[in-house]
Amino acid sequence: MDFSQPLVMGILNVTPDSFSDGGQFLSVDDALSRAIQMQEEGADIIDVGGESTRPGADPIGMDEEADRVLPVIEALKNVVSVPISVDTKKPAIMRAAVSAGAKMINDVNALEADGAVELISELGVPVCLMHANGDPRTMQENPTYRDVVQEVRCYLRQRVDACLSAGVEQKNIVIDPGFGFGKTVAHNYSLMKHLRELAFSELPIMIGVSRKSMIGALLNVQPRDRVAGGLALTAMAYGQGARIFRTHDVRETKQCLHVCAAVMGAD
Ligand code: YH5
């Protein structure tokens, strides 16, 4: 992947809580339509996720996750031209997703599962290593840090080192501070203010702030009214070197980054 230009990763949730009719089944067709729409809006990557990692969410089993994401990835690779990434913590899902056509792994657990680092080295695909403090079920109960920026940086450095030691190529590694994952609103804003300091070894930084509660907590609005807040964070992050932006709002984020890039490219 070429990280010299900012990339927008469109979120394709295939979890029951994301189903448009609130029902139990999201059809593969609905997922494909949404993905095609995001590609038309300019998405550079489509991120398929089957396990809800929202605060309070329960983990799901292997079979259920496989049944949600694999058919979508298999169908998607024939209808979109952009690379597909899979948002999973499970090595077996990573392997199956790559066989099904996924070109990148997005792991909110930074490859902490047994065998995950070795698997990524074997598969030779790009990976995003994200920081999370605790698991989704309990992570927001009482997050504490002495220095959130330094702790996240130190954690990511250790995970990067584990990958490099196992033979993962540096060019295949992306890092992400994990906004909202075991962090208070104050922690999230601190991480954003100091995002520049997270960078090391020229690794590309990815962020996911789209519609998250760090925006809602400030503006007191529902997720669908958090787009402008997300774009403000996107612009601030771009200015500090972030290069991959995971979002529900692809068209708006592309426009935001286009304008940001024009500022950076001006005389
Ligand atoms: C991320 O930051 N986030 S899943 C709660 C919300 C809205 C959105 C309404 N996967 C990230 O998107 N992967 C998720 O409140 C991620 N970075 C990376 N790399 C959570 C999510 C969300 C949660």
Side-chain angles (χ1 to χ4, degrees):
M1 282 187 192
D2 172 16
F3 298 121
S4 57
Q5 291 282 102
L7 299 177
V8 172
M9 175 186 273
I11 301 171
L12 188 65
N13 279 324
V14 289
T15 58
D17 54 317
S18 62
F19 297 173
S20 49
D21 63 355
Q24 257 215 299
F25 301 97
L26 176 83
S27 72
V28 171
D29 280 354
D30 286 353
L32 297 187
S33 312
R34 178 73 190 120
I36 290 165
Q37 183 190 6
M38 290 196 290
Q39 176 171 270
E40 283 168 1
E41 291 179 4
D44 300 290
I45 307 168
I46 305 286
D47 189 43
V48 180
E51 178 171 42
S52 177
T53 42
R54 288 179 188 218
D58 284 321
I60 59 164
M62 183 79 73
D63 293 347
E64 196 173 351
E65 190 173 345
D67 289 347
R68 287 182 192 173
V69 301
L70 299 180
V72 171
I73 293 170
E74 257 154 32
L76 208 50
K77 69 159 185 276
N78 301 315
V79 298
V80 298
S81 55
V82 296
I84 300 162
S85 120
V86 63
D87 188 339
T88 187
K89 306 182 223 179
K90 298 186 183 75
I93 301 287
M94 295 174 188
R95 184 186 287 282
V98 170
S99 295
K103 296 277 186 268
M104 177 176 178
I105 306 296
N106 175 27
D107 185 359
V108 301
N109 220 12
L111 303 181
E112 287 209 52
D114 278 347
V117 169
E118 294 73 19
L119 175 65
I120 293 305
S121 170
E122 178 197 326
L123 295 174
V125 292
V127 63
C128 177
L129 304 172
M130 197 201 79
H131 174 273
N133 189 358
D135 62 280
R137 216 162 34 77
T138 57
M139 67 189 180
Q140 292 307 110
E141 280 170 15
N142 181 28
T144 49
Y145 299 86
R146 195 183 46 77
D147 179 336
V148 68
V149 178
Q150 286 320 310
E151 281 175 54
V152 169
R153 184 178 200 275
C154 178
Y155 171 83
L156 291 172
R157 188 192 276 284
Q158 285 171 21
R159 297 312 299 156
V160 168
D161 286 344
C163 286
L164 295 173
S165 302
V168 177
E169 289 182 78
Q170 165 139 342
K171 71 165 175 46
N172 278 341
I173 305 176
V174 173
I175 55 173
D176 184 330
F179 287 99
F181 285 81
K183 286 131 191 148
T184 63
V185 173
H187 292 141
N188 287 314
Y189 280 91
S190 215
L191 278 170
M192 184 56 76
K193 179 173 178 183
H194 300 286
L195 194 67
R196 190 189 306 280
E197 296 164 37
L198 282 181
F200 57 87
S201 311
E202 317 251 287
L203 292 172
I205 295 179
M206 168 157 142
I207 64 153
V209 292
S210 173
R211 304 190 186 180
K212 282 188 179 172
S213 61
M214 65 181 290
I215 304 164
L218 210 67
L219 305 181
N220 258 306
V221 292
Q222 291 304 304
R224 64 184 154 79
D225 288 322
R226 296 177 188 171
V227 181
L231 298 178
L233 296 172
T234 296
M236 301 287 298
Y238 178 82
Q240 296 182 81
R243 285 298 172 264
I244 307 169
F245 301 84
R246 183 180 178 277
T247 182
H248 304 84
D249 306 301
V250 171
R251 186 181 136 82
E252 293 86 348
T253 303
K254 286 295 276 195
Q255 289 185 345
C256 170
L257 291 167
H258 196 152
V259 172
C260 289
V263 173
M264 297 309 230
D267 292 338

